[in-house]
Amino acid sequence: MATNAIDQTRRMLSLVTYLRERPGARVGDVARAFGITDDELIADLDVLPMCGTSFRGGDLLDIDTDGDRIWWHNPDDVAEPLRLAADEATALLVAARAVSTLPGLREGDRQALLRATAKLEAAAGEAAGASSRLSVTFESEGGVFAEVDRAISERRRLWLRYYSPARDELTEREVDPIRLFAVGHTYFEAWCRLSEARRTFWLGRVAEIRLLDEPADPPPVELRDLSEGLVHPSAEDPEVVVEVGPGGRWVAEYYPHDSAEERPDGGLRITLRTPDPASLRRLALRLGGDGRIVSPQDLADSARQAAREALAAYGE
């Protein structure tokens, strides 16, 4: 059964307590206790070792499994009273205030978070004052996150208008949502009724969204492993070299790449691979004077030709 991100977080917090009291618990028994599959439990266990009492990298949960039993090797260390440094308290308070504004948060969870935040503010002292001058704005403003989260929880279909950069157009489609996730940006995976295939949608490209009364009924699909990112270029894909100035450094943040070498002007020389090099012509046009395609030569030539045609159209 599909769950939203908030339900999964609540389950994982409960899982920590459950495992502490049951050393060597069997995978199958734990999965049944939480009403999830063995694979879902293993996915949770892959995340838990990245959690702990310090974001500096120490005091993490040392939890592993041999596929049959689950072992927690340092429960006593993690159980020690938590002492926050000023920067840790500031980061935690900023994050708590930001999460409390999420439109998809249940009211009971929101109130519990606000109570916990108030207690942390009282304990943090001067650090609380510093955190009040900072704020975080989520890219999923406007209710998109909330609608997707609700659709997953209630297993309902969504209608949306979505911008497709490949075709440079808005399309209308109905989708059956599968899961929300974040890899740099926030996305949701769904079965698209327009293309009759699984598709991934970036929340930032959703122009309009509406929850439908029809039940969502996506066909069974195997969830992709996103631990190494959203896009996995193949070593056999053609290599493309792009040079960008200081105003185009964002390309290295948005496109998976093999290398990004610094240039004397403050820009980057980026080497990446893609199964469809022609799709990067639009990137070249978007960069304008902030970048250019260096190789392959035929792609660089076609990008220049596309720019000339665009300028000629403006002239007409």
Side-chain angles (χ1 to χ4, degrees):
M1 186 177 94
T3 59
N4 60 37
I6 297 170
D7 288 334
Q8 183 181 17
T9 301
R10 184 186 295 108
R11 181 181 72 226
M12 292 176 67
L13 290 172
S14 300
L15 186 60
V16 170
T17 302
Y18 186 93
L19 293 177
R20 176 178 172 77
E21 298 173 352
R22 296 168 177 81
R26 293 189 178 278
V27 170
D29 294 340
V30 178
R32 280 191 295 274
F34 282 83
I36 58 177
T37 66
D38 289 7
D39 288 341
E40 288 174 319
L41 175 59
I42 295 299
D44 286 350
L45 296 177
D46 288 340
V47 174
L48 284 177
M50 294 183 280
C51 306
T53 59
S54 172
F55 60 66
R56 293 189 178 89
D59 304 323
L60 299 180
L61 303 179
D62 187 5
I63 296 177
D64 65 29
T65 176
D66 59 6
D68 178 39
R69 292 182 179 274
I70 305 168
W71 304 99
W72 185 355
H73 303 292
N74 64 339
D76 294 333
D77 295 339
V78 176
E80 293 180 356
L82 177 62
R83 291 179 174 83
L84 294 176
D87 55 343
E88 292 177 314
T90 299
L92 188 56
L93 283 167
V94 171
R97 292 193 187 103
V99 171
S100 69
T101 67
L102 281 175
L105 194 64
R106 293 183 179 88
E107 188 57 30
D109 293 334
R110 191 188 314 279
Q111 294 304 319
L113 181 58
L114 290 175
R115 289 193 297 271
T117 303
K119 292 179 181 178
L120 181 57
E121 287 175 340
E126 294 181 3
S131 69
S132 65
R133 296 190 291 271
L134 302 172
S135 63
V136 174
T137 301
F138 288 97
E139 67 172 283
S140 52
E141 289 178 335
V144 177
F145 182 98
E147 291 294 88
V148 177
D149 186 65
R150 182 180 173 191
I152 293 173
S153 298
E154 299 179 5
R155 301 184 63 83
R156 290 167 62 182
R157 187 169 297 178
L158 287 166
W159 172 90
L160 54 90
R161 294 177 67 232
Y162 187 77
Y163 173 68
S164 173
R167 296 190 294 272
D168 192 23
E169 65 179 7
L170 284 168
T171 59
E172 295 186 12
R173 59 185 79 199
E174 293 185 5
V175 302
D176 292 344
I178 298 171
R179 63 171 170 169
L180 270 164
F181 62 91
V183 180
H185 296 283
T186 308
Y187 301 85
F188 73 95
E189 200 167 18
W191 185 262
C192 177
R193 296 295 169 178
L194 178 65
S195 57
E196 286 299 318
R198 178 169 58 179
R199 291 289 184 265
T200 299
F201 301 96
W202 177 19
L203 267 61
R205 291 194 179 129
V206 176
E208 189 177 352
I209 190 168
R210 187 168 64 246
L211 193 62
L212 302 178
D213 291 331
E214 288 89 345
D217 186 27
V221 295
E222 182 177 351
L223 298 181
R224 294 185 296 156
D225 179 12
L226 302 173
S227 60
E228 297 183 3
L230 185 61
V231 180
H232 300 168
S234 168
E236 287 73 37
D237 290 339
E239 183 180 270
V240 178
V241 178
V242 181
E243 289 186 350
V244 301
R249 293 179 67 96
W250 58 267
V251 173
E253 300 176 9
Y254 282 80
Y255 288 83
H257 54 275
D258 294 337
S259 64
E261 302 172 7
E262 293 286 343
R263 301 179 64 216
D265 63 354
L268 295 171
R269 181 182 177 90
I270 303 170
T271 302
L272 54 86
R273 296 181 182 276
T274 173
D276 182 20
S279 65
L280 295 180
R281 277 198 300 265
R282 189 176 303 280
L283 170 63
L285 292 174
R286 180 179 178 185
L287 285 169
D290 282 327
R292 66 189 183 96
I293 295 175
V294 177
S295 65
Q297 190 60 50
D298 58 344
L299 179 59
D301 293 341
S302 68
R304 281 192 289 270
Q305 180 61 30
R308 284 193 290 267
E309 292 173 356
L311 287 173
Y314 277 105
E316 295 173 0

